[in-house]
Amino acid sequence: MASDGQAIAIEPWQVLDTKYSYRDRWLALRSDTVRVPNGTILSPYHTLEFPEWICAVALTSDRHIVLIEEYRHGVGRNSIELPCGAPDHDGEDLLAAMQRELLEETGYAADEWHALGSSTANTARQNNRVHAFLALDARPVADQKLDPGEVIRPHVIPWRQFIAELGDGRLEIPGLHLAALWQLKTFAQTSGDSRLAALDL
């Protein structure tokens, strides 16, 4: 990456001590004592460790997008999102996990899947990445199969309506899911798939 002026080397922080105050299958809170390159000691510097996250842009054959609505306690309100989740265990294949999550949350499945890419979730405080996938010609095949703590309402809306409502603020989705839409745009430009060209990305 080009930059102006003299190049400055940025060294990693030196970890002097590490403690975990909480850890379960969903997250861990790690508190480090670190020395930054200029010699300053930061203690504690908190990092949240999460499993890898996954999300999907699921499109039907008639160019509708499959979304979910779920109460999210972090923000204290309902949230419209892409179908999303995390692998059930460390060894679960990410695509297989996303296919499972889409089916469980919405009852939809697709035969054609593409990896859109991954991005960091929050480089300052988190260690995980978000992996985005595209499901083409998604269709309903089953009833939802939700976890005990989940109450999810699927929505299937026209793509143009989705983009219009995002654009004028009537609809809000998580920022991490906006990154997946950018990755979809990049994929559409290189794939040459007429189904994606019709989305006018």
Side-chain angles (χ1 to χ4, degrees):
M1 182 175 64
S3 61
D4 295 328
Q6 186 176 359
I8 299 174
I10 300 178
E11 301 295 332
W13 294 356
Q14 182 183 3
V15 179
L16 305 176
D17 186 50
T18 294
K19 295 179 182 177
Y20 284 89
S21 55
Y22 184 82
R23 182 185 289 175
D24 66 14
R25 64 170 289 201
W26 302 110
L27 67 89
L29 174 57
R30 188 183 80 230
S31 300
D32 294 331
T33 298
V34 298
R35 180 184 290 117
V36 303
N38 66 10
T40 301
I41 302 294
L42 302 179
S43 182
Y45 189 89
H46 301 300
T47 298
L48 290 169
E49 297 183 355
F50 287 100
E52 299 295 89
W53 291 340
I54 48 179
C55 66
V57 180
L59 301 174
T60 66
S61 59
D62 55 355
R63 292 189 289 281
H64 286 52
I65 185 169
V66 181
L67 303 170
I68 60 169
E69 180 180 0
E70 185 174 7
Y71 174 79
R72 292 301 198 185
H73 195 58
V75 293
R77 58 177 171 79
N78 285 12
S79 176
I80 301 292
E81 305 177 0
L82 302 178
C84 56
D88 271 349
H89 52 82
D90 285 342
E92 186 176 18
D93 177 76
L94 294 174
L95 174 57
M98 190 62 252
Q99 291 170 333
R100 173 181 51 74
E101 289 286 349
L102 178 65
L103 183 62
E104 291 176 356
E105 292 183 349
T106 69
Y108 275 68
D111 294 327
E112 184 176 350
W113 288 80
H114 300 276
L116 296 177
S118 66
S119 57
T120 51
N122 175 357
T123 56
R125 295 289 180 180
Q126 292 176 217
N127 69 329
N128 65 323
R129 301 182 71 85
V130 183
H131 305 268
F133 296 92
L134 169 64
L136 288 173
D137 297 334
R139 64 199 186 282
V141 299
D143 294 330
Q144 291 174 289
K145 187 179 179 182
L146 301 176
D147 292 336
E150 291 181 324
V151 178
I152 295 175
R153 178 184 303 149
H155 295 273
V156 183
I157 66 173
W159 174 262
R160 291 182 185 277
Q161 175 186 339
F162 169 66
I163 292 300
E165 293 184 3
L166 272 181
D168 64 20
R170 284 178 290 160
L171 176 64
E172 179 184 88
I173 65 173
L176 296 172
H177 295 181
L178 291 174
L181 297 182
W182 176 261
Q183 291 167 327
L184 171 64
K185 180 176 182 177
T186 302
F187 179 82
Q189 291 171 343
T190 58
S191 72
D193 192 314
S194 62
R195 292 168 295 180
L196 300 180
L199 299 177
D200 296 326
L201 290 163

